[in-house]
Structures are given as C-alpha cells and as structure tokens.
C-alpha cells in the first residue's frame, strides 16, 4: 500500500471534458432489438455524454403509443436461440408453431424484469429524464400514416435525415 | 490500493480514488469527499447518500442509478441536479462505496 502525500486521490469525473456526443439509430421493432440502444444510451447518459436517439422504420414501434407495449420476440430467424442455461439450439421449426412467439416474448420479458430492467415505455421515460433527446423519422411517420400525437410525449420532434445529419455532427453514431 | 487523507483521516482508496472500506466512512469524511469533487452537500444530498449507505448494508452492492430512483424514490432529474453529469459514480464516491457495477 502506498501513502499519498499532498493532494488526495480523487476520481476523474471528466467534468471539464464534456464534448463527447453519441447518437443511436433504432430501426428494429423486435423486443430483443429494442434493448441494446436503450441500455447503451442509459450508460452514455450516466457518463454525462450528450445522447440522441433517432427512431426509424420498425423502430417507430418503440415510440408509437399504440405499439410500444406490444413488442414481441420471435425464435424464427434466430439460429442462436437456446433455452437459458442450455447449450442446445432450439430447432427453427418450433418457432413457427402457434403460440411460440407469445411464449418466447413472455419468457424474455420475465428475464428482463428479473434483472430489474424496465419495460420499453418506462425505459424511454427514464432516458428522457436523464437528458436524452428522442427524434422520430419523418419518412417513417409519413409511411405509417402517423401524427405527432401518436408518439409518446418524450419525442422531441419529427425530423428528416438532413436534420439528423446536422444534429449528429461530431457524434459517434450507432445503428441498431 | 493507496492511503489518502480525507478530512484529516487516512482513508484506503483504490487506484481511482473510490473508498475501499465502507467502514471507514463517516459524515465528516463524506464532507471531505464531496468537497473533493465540488459538490456542496445539502439536506437533499444527505438523504440520497444515507439511502445508498443503507441499501449497500442490505444488498452488499452499490445501488445503480435506477435502483436509487426506484427503491429510494429519488427522481432521476433530481439526482442529475444534485450530482451533475455522472450521478451514479458521484453518489457512490460520496457514500464511501465502490462505483456501481450494474449496467442499468
């Protein structure tokens, strides 16, 4: 053990270096693909990083009041699918049986809840409270026939790709 | 690990400066820790810090930001005001705990 003389050892919380900026693009509406950006955004905000989240295409389901509570998880197309604690893969054909998507969704939701990770709606409110700015894609809004009122209140605005390019200048962009 | 002097007391800290032994913490030490990172402690700060201490005693791990809001009942926005930019780490530092390991 060493003894420090003079100035105490203090963590560097990087208060002076605050120009880091990150932007996530959420393009998926599957339950398992909704979480990566939310969890990373939560980590970024906790580090004091300016954080933007842009929702486009199926990612719109995450901020659409009608759909955000009903995101699903399917075994189909996921060859990595196996039961928790088991290494054998579930045959793809099983995923197509009636009720399997519901079963897989309930199971994933339970695992997420057991880890005390909030559901998508609560998560987005939390991120907004932490300072994240949420943006909706204009093209997707038009394509899906949506209005601003159809989106959760936390959404700052509906913007086009040019706007996103401008606001993400200097940001690290992560596409999910 | 290193020894550093906080509020006139020798305290064990890790390489970053977080306290290693929560038992060495006291309110006086807390004043020193908060001063080190430019946080002026108010009654609101103390309530949060005491929650962290209590929760650590019960759970054995430093609570994450979400746990402080959910189990402690402190709104997220308030925590960002009290401990700007990096509330989870700053709260843990002031409470004499290691930084939280949970992602959410």
């Amino acid at each position: 053990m060493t003894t420090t003389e003079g100035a105490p050892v203090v963590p560097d919380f990087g208060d002076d270096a605050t120009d880091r900026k990150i932007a996530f693009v959420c393009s998926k509406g599957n339950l398992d693909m909704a979480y990566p950006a939310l969890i990373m955004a939560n980590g970024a905000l906790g580090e004091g990083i300016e954080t933007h989240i842009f929702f486009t295409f199926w990612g719109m389901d995450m901020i659409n009041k009608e759909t955000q509570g009903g995101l699903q998880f399917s075994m189909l197309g996921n060859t990595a699918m196996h039961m928790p604690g088991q290494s054998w893969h579930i045959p793809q054909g099983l995923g197509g049986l009636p009720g399997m998507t519901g079963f897989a969704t309930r199971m994933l939701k339970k695992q997420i809840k057991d880890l005390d990770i909030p559901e998508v709606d609560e998560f987005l409110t939390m991120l907004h409270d932490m300072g994240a700015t949420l943006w909706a894609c204009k093209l997707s809004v038009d394509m899906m026939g949506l209005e601003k009122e159809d989106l959760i209140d936390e959404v700052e605005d509906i913007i086009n790709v040019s706007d996103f390019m401008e606001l993400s200048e200097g940001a690290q962009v992560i596409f999910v | 690990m290193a020894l550093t002097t906080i509020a006139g007391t020798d305290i064990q800290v890790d390489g970053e400066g977080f306290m290693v032994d929560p038992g060495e913490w006291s309110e006086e030490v807390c004043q020193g820790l908060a001063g080190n990172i430019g946080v002026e402690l108010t009654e609101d700060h103390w309530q949060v810090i005491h929650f962290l201490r209590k929760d650590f005693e019960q759970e054995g791990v430093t609570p994450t930001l979400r746990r402080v809001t959910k189990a402690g009942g402190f709104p997220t926005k308030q925590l960002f005001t009290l401990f700007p930019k990096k509330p989870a780490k700053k709260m843990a530092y002031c409470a004499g705990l290691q930084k939280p390991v949970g992602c959410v």
Side-chain angles (χ1 to χ4, degrees):
Chain A
M1 196 182 290
T2 54
T3 305
T4 54
E5 299 291 337
V9 184
V10 179
D12 176 16
F13 288 114
D15 283 348
D16 300 327
T18 53
D19 57 347
R20 195 167 163 198
K21 188 171 166 185
I22 199 162
F24 295 92
V25 179
C26 288
S27 72
K28 301 284 189 189
N30 300 338
L31 185 62
D32 55 326
M33 291 307 286
Y35 276 96
L38 300 182
I39 291 169
M40 284 188 279
N42 179 66
L45 291 158
E47 286 298 305
I49 299 169
E50 180 182 335
T51 304
H52 297 265
I53 313 179
F54 181 69
F55 297 87
T56 185
F57 224 81
W58 301 120
M60 295 295 295
D61 278 10
M62 294 170 68
I63 50 168
N64 182 338
K65 288 176 193 164
E66 287 290 313
T67 56
Q68 73 166 179
L71 303 188
Q72 293 189 305
F73 169 55
S74 173
M75 301 180 192
L76 286 175
N78 180 8
T79 56
M81 184 71 204
H82 54 80
M83 295 297 277
Q86 303 283 338
S87 59
W88 53 273
H89 290 119
I90 295 176
Q92 281 288 290
L94 281 181
L97 295 178
M100 285 310 268
T101 297
F103 167 73
T105 302
R106 280 193 299 279
M107 194 151 177
L108 181 59
K109 279 193 168 181
K110 182 180 181 304
Q111 285 181 290
I112 290 168
K113 194 177 174 197
D114 287 348
L115 288 173
D116 201 23
I117 295 169
E119 297 224 7
V120 172
D121 56 346
E122 190 190 339
F123 213 142
L124 287 170
T125 304
M126 183 173 88
L127 294 178
H128 184 257
D129 286 349
M130 291 171 85
T133 319
L134 313 186
W135 305 97
C137 163
K138 175 148 188 2
L139 183 65
S140 305
V141 165
D142 291 346
M143 192 194 302
M144 295 173 181
L146 298 170
E147 303 284 344
K148 178 84 167 64
E149 295 72 47
D150 297 319
L151 308 175
I152 57 171
D153 297 341
E154 286 82 358
V155 172
E156 184 77 15
D157 206 355
I158 297 167
I159 61 172
N160 63 23
V161 173
S162 307
D163 297 330
F164 177 72
M165 289 305 152
E166 275 180 10
L167 74 87
S168 63
E169 185 181 344
Q172 293 164 304
V173 179
I174 300 179
F175 186 90
V176 180
Chain B
M1 207 160 23
L3 265 185
T4 195
T5 308
I6 292 162
T9 316
D10 280 346
I11 300 284
Q12 301 176 68
V13 293
D14 64 14
E16 281 185 87
F18 286 86
M19 282 177 61
V20 174
D21 179 4
E24 291 181 338
W25 185 89
S26 66
E27 293 200 350
E28 210 178 4
V29 169
C30 184
Q31 294 276 12
L33 293 166
N36 283 348
I37 58 168
V39 170
E40 200 176 315
L41 295 174
T42 64
E43 184 50 38
D44 287 344
H45 290 90
W46 283 114
Q47 282 183 13
V48 175
I49 289 165
H50 284 304
F51 169 76
L52 261 87
R53 298 285 306 176
K54 195 171 112 225
D55 196 64
F56 176 80
E57 254 176 50
Q58 289 165 359
E59 305 292 327
V61 290
T62 306
T64 60
L65 188 68
R66 171 160 162 79
R67 183 159 173 84
V68 178
T69 56
K70 208 181 158 205
F74 301 98
T76 306
K77 282 182 184 171
Q78 185 195 7
L79 296 176
F80 270 85
T81 308
L82 295 174
F83 302 93
K85 303 244 166 78
K86 301 190 183 186
K89 285 183 180 172
K90 286 183 176 175
M91 291 186 294
Y93 177 73
C94 292
L97 306 173
Q98 290 281 293
K99 57 187 178 187
V101 291
C103 282
V104 178

